[in-house]
Amino acid sequence: MTAHRNFYRFTSPLLTVAGHDALEELPGLLRSLDMLHPLILTDPGVRRAGLMDMVSAILKSQEDIIGDTWFDQIPPDSDTDIIAQAAQVYREKGCTGLLAVGGGSVIDTTKGVRILVSLGGEHLRDYQGADTISSQLVPMAAVPTTSGTGSEATLVAVIKDARNKRKLAFTSPSLIPSAAILDSRMTLTLPPAITAATGMDALAHAVEAYTGLGRNPISDSYALKAIELIVSTLPEVIEHPDNQEARLQMAVASHLAGSAFSNSMVGIVHTLGHCVGARCGIPHGICMSILLPYGMTYNLHRCRERFGKLLQVLSGKSVYLETSEDKRPEGAVAAVKALASRLHMLTDGAHPLRLRDILDRSGHPIMKPQHIPVIASDALGDPSHLYNPEEVSLDELISVLRAAYWGYPLDKDLVKLGHQK
Amino acid sequence: MVKAGNWRTRLYLSIMFRVTGRAIQAAGRRDPELREIFAALPPGFSFRLSVWPDGPELNIETDSSTLPRYGGSKGASDPSLHMEITSPAHAMALFTFAESTTMSAARGRLVTRGDLSHACTMVRVLDRVETYLLPRPIARRAVKRYESPQKKHRMRLAVWLGIIFSRGGSRS
């Protein structure tokens, strides 16, 4: 019974246009996708930043494209009601495709609208699940305005159910957008703290994709290139936010990391990050940055060889060669911690290093120690833990969260060792 | 070796589905951890595991006291959670324990309709039941991390007696 092991699958059907002025390609791209009347979805923040003016100006000069049908009220924590409203606009206006301009929330919301307008029905929850959507959906293009989620390249959408506040998860190759435009101008206005958090989100995607159970040689190559770009570019972007070349490299890195994890899936870092975010409202990228070294330590014994190889990408060839083989995996974890610490310094402390350091407006920690067992319990229902190389249990998740909350090293003796190679 | 798609495959899978379904019912009523897991599922939860395109299927429903009941190949017309193995070959890999349930999911061999958090729960249930059904060396291949349950031998006996004498699935 070995025949079933002899194949893997890697899906990336999307057309990517990347460059400093890539947005100029938008009209041609809309024509090629037969999207002459797109519904353009965005959020108020993107509008305020003036990014939509750029999109409007480009579309305004195109006589054959109707570029003034907008839905710009997507909140950071979008839900099924918002999607139903946007789908209604799409139907009423007779649109022929969807254009998402924004971060992860906007792109995931657009994926939800895409399901509803393509497959009909009123309730998105009827389509939740893995690989359940096999039909061809209406065309969708995405213009990311952050370099982190990589949602423009993924087959995943996570959307809150307005009825019961639960997260609905959708995974299907049909959900990968038809096209993505990575334009360095779209992230130029991002403040350093958000640039740091979203960049670490991309790093978490790449590292978890490289060690996830669904990994394959193609996802590995995407993940490694993404890590290389992030490590060499992220501090530079924080120090020099106007460096357009570095901004573009980060956008490409996020895109590659998105494509990698879309195929190999993610693990414990995202399992806990999703639940910390849902319970406490902490931004996803910050959760990822704090939890990544802890998640790596948790999985260290299962992926020593892989983490060892990561040291070369994270710290360079000379450090890799100077480090003895048995110390390289721990070296990779230390390199990730060092990157987070550097971002902490470069952002004057705005990029936190412990969960307890994330404060509300009155200066109190948003997450409290009593949240830890509840979040750990939630995490057992998060599908991403299935793809983690090591099994997780409630006690272990609590241990990881406690360590990340107080900022002390994870006690490896608390992790039960799995047996499978 | 049994080849995918022939009558031996179908027979083997049918037997394994019936054994697994009855084992879920038996273990889910006796093992405190499984009882807790089933109690946390929504009232009236129903689960179907099937093989595409027309392979065997097993159906589990929770009753009014949140205990699992095996319904053989007859179940709710629209189950709360439906996990479909995408080919008989993949089902064979899973049920000959050459591949764990999590690896099967990671390699895209399962189509899941319904709440994915419930899919996590059912994968945990399947893993737990396999530790009762199988000898340790085989169970270690079937689950990501083998943990010997408390009172394993007593529970194993109870589960196997439940499989042999249960009337669950007799409608199929």
Side-chain angles (χ1 to χ4, degrees):
Chain A
M1 289 307 299
T2 54
H4 65 280
R5 292 175 180 169
N6 292 340
F7 68 89
Y8 55 83
R9 61 182 195 175
F10 184 92
T11 316
S12 184
L14 92 163
L15 166 66
T16 303
V17 185
H20 297 307
D21 301 313
L23 204 60
E24 307 301 324
E25 288 292 307
L26 180 61
L29 203 134
L30 293 180
R31 284 188 196 100
S32 70
L33 294 171
D34 206 13
M35 277 173 59
L36 296 180
H37 184 186
L39 174 64
I40 304 168
L41 295 102
T42 188
D43 64 45
V46 171
R47 270 218 116 135
R48 274 197 302 276
L51 302 177
M52 294 316 297
D53 298 340
M54 223 185 304
V55 176
S56 291
I58 290 168
L59 294 182
K60 209 173 178 180
S61 55
Q62 312 296 320
E63 286 182 1
D64 57 336
I65 296 174
I66 305 170
D68 59 355
T69 309
W70 301 85
F71 187 90
D72 60 0
Q73 295 305 314
I74 298 174
D77 196 11
S78 183
D79 62 29
T80 48
D81 281 351
I82 299 285
I83 286 168
Q85 288 170 30
Q88 186 66 22
V89 174
Y90 182 97
R91 291 175 186 132
E92 281 173 7
K93 302 282 184 183
C95 297
T96 55
L98 295 156
L99 173 62
V101 184
S105 179
V106 169
I107 297 174
D108 275 12
T109 299
T110 307
K111 288 177 180 175
V113 177
R114 193 179 186 205
I115 296 170
L116 271 193
V117 300
S118 304
L119 304 179
E122 294 296 321
H123 301 296
L124 201 57
R125 74 183 75 90
D126 295 340
Y127 302 107
Q128 67 176 321
D131 281 335
T132 55
I133 302 163
S134 52
S135 324
Q136 194 166 358
L137 307 181
V138 300
M140 170 185 165
V143 183
T145 57
T146 60
S147 297
T149 70
S151 187
E152 78 282 358
T154 73
L155 50 70
V156 183
V158 180
I159 294 153
K160 193 169 74 180
D161 189 340
R163 189 182 57 170
N164 54 21
K165 309 297 176 200
R166 288 174 63 96
K167 295 276 184 182
L168 305 175
F170 306 82
T171 68
S172 168
S174 302
L175 285 179
I176 298 175
S178 322
I181 296 180
L182 313 177
D183 189 313
S184 53
R185 294 170 294 177
M186 304 308 278
T187 55
L188 278 176
T189 55
L190 277 181
I194 296 179
T195 303
T198 51
M200 289 301 282
D201 183 18
L203 183 65
H205 289 155
V207 170
E208 292 218 286
Y210 187 65
T211 52
L213 286 186
R215 64 180 185 252
N216 60 57
I218 307 176
S219 66
D220 282 354
S221 65
Y222 279 52
L224 289 174
K225 186 65 190 174
I227 295 168
E228 185 189 315
L229 286 173
I230 293 163
V231 170
S232 63
T233 315
L234 185 53
E236 166 62 22
V237 173
I238 310 284
E239 281 182 290
H240 304 102
D242 296 331
N243 183 337
Q244 242 178 297
E245 184 55 37
R247 289 282 189 189
L248 180 61
Q249 295 309 316
M250 276 307 296
V252 171
S254 163
H255 188 73
L256 289 170
S259 198
F261 96 78
S262 178
N263 283 276
S264 71
M265 294 297 163
V266 284
I268 186 172
V269 178
H270 280 77
T271 306
L272 289 172
H274 292 153
C275 299
V276 170
R279 278 279 165 191
C280 306
I282 295 172
H284 179 67
I286 291 174
C287 295
M288 293 297 97
S289 179
I290 295 169
L291 290 164
L292 179 58
Y294 293 95
M296 290 172 74
T297 307
Y298 185 87
N299 288 324
L300 210 55
H301 62 286
R302 297 299 295 266
C303 317
R304 285 195 71 81
E305 194 185 334
R306 290 205 151 234
F307 281 128
K309 284 180 185 166
L310 274 189
L311 181 62
Q312 183 169 351
V313 190
L314 287 162
S315 300
K317 200 167 185 177
S318 58
V319 173
Y320 177 79
L321 292 173
E322 284 163 11
T323 309
S324 64
E325 197 174 338
D326 61 322
K327 299 269 189 266
R328 285 172 186 160
E330 284 79 5
V333 180
V336 170
K337 277 186 186 164
L339 177 62
S341 297
R342 193 168 167 207
L343 298 179
H344 178 73
M345 280 198 324
L346 292 173
T347 57
D348 296 327
H351 184 76
L353 298 174
R354 303 182 299 178
L355 289 170
R356 77 181 299 267
D357 292 340
I358 307 161
L359 308 176
D360 60 19
R361 285 182 184 169
S362 53
H364 299 108
I366 296 175
M367 185 176 160
K368 308 281 191 301
Q370 55 266 36
H371 283 127
I372 290 174
V374 186
I375 291 168
S377 177
D378 291 348
L380 288 176
D382 189 280
S384 57
H385 80 71
L386 287 182
Y387 308 108
N388 193 61
E390 180 55 275
E391 187 60 276
V392 298
S393 69
L394 185 66
D395 292 346
E396 291 162 323
L397 292 172
I398 289 174
S399 300
V400 176
L401 279 171
R402 278 200 185 125
Y405 186 82
W406 297 106
Y408 57 69
L410 178 65
D411 182 356
K412 278 294 291 174
D413 293 339
L414 295 172
V415 182
K416 295 170 202 155
L417 304 185
H419 56 274
Q420 285 192 347
K421 293 266 168 69
Chain B
M1 187 197 298
V2 183
K3 286 184 180 172
N6 63 22
W7 67 270
R8 281 176 294 178
T9 300
R10 294 181 68 86
L11 179 65
Y12 178 79
L13 289 176
S14 296
I15 293 168
M16 288 307 294
F17 269 58
R18 185 168 289 214
V19 168
T20 306
R22 288 184 174 190
I24 292 172
Q25 176 177 282
R29 287 166 179 259
R30 291 171 178 85
D31 179 351
E33 191 177 316
L34 285 178
R35 285 172 69 113
E36 207 173 297
I37 288 175
F38 277 108
L41 288 167
F45 175 80
S46 53
F47 167 68
R48 177 176 298 151
L49 180 68
S50 65
V51 182
W52 188 89
D54 56 355
E57 62 182 59
L58 70 85
N59 288 278
I60 300 288
E61 286 178 12
T62 52
D63 59 23
S64 53
S65 50
T66 72
L67 296 173
R69 189 174 59 80
Y70 171 56
S73 60
K74 303 267 173 60
S77 59
D78 185 19
S80 320
L81 178 72
H82 182 183
M83 295 172 81
E84 186 176 55
I85 305 165
T86 52
S87 79
H90 297 154
M92 284 301 290
L94 197 58
F95 281 91
T96 53
F97 314 105
E99 187 170 84
S100 65
T101 319
T102 47
M103 277 311 292
S104 216
R107 289 172 172 161
R109 325 250 204 250
L110 290 168
V111 172
T112 306
R113 295 183 189 86
D115 191 329
L116 292 181
S117 66
H118 295 155
C120 293
T121 303
M122 289 315 297
V123 168
R124 246 190 340 270
V125 168
L126 286 167
D127 279 359
R128 182 85 172 173
V129 166
E130 280 168 352
T131 61
Y132 289 129
L133 279 181
L134 303 169
R136 185 185 171 119
I138 299 176
R140 282 165 66 94
R141 286 162 47 192
V143 299
K144 209 192 284 182
R145 179 201 285 167
Y146 181 84
E147 286 180 89
S148 193
Q150 287 184 334
K151 299 178 187 169
K152 185 178 75 175
H153 297 298
R154 197 186 301 173
M155 276 297 300
R156 185 173 276 172
L157 181 65
V159 168
W160 274 106
L161 288 173
I163 292 167
I164 295 164
F165 296 109
S166 161
R167 293 172 64 190
S170 55
R171 287 178 291 163
S172 61

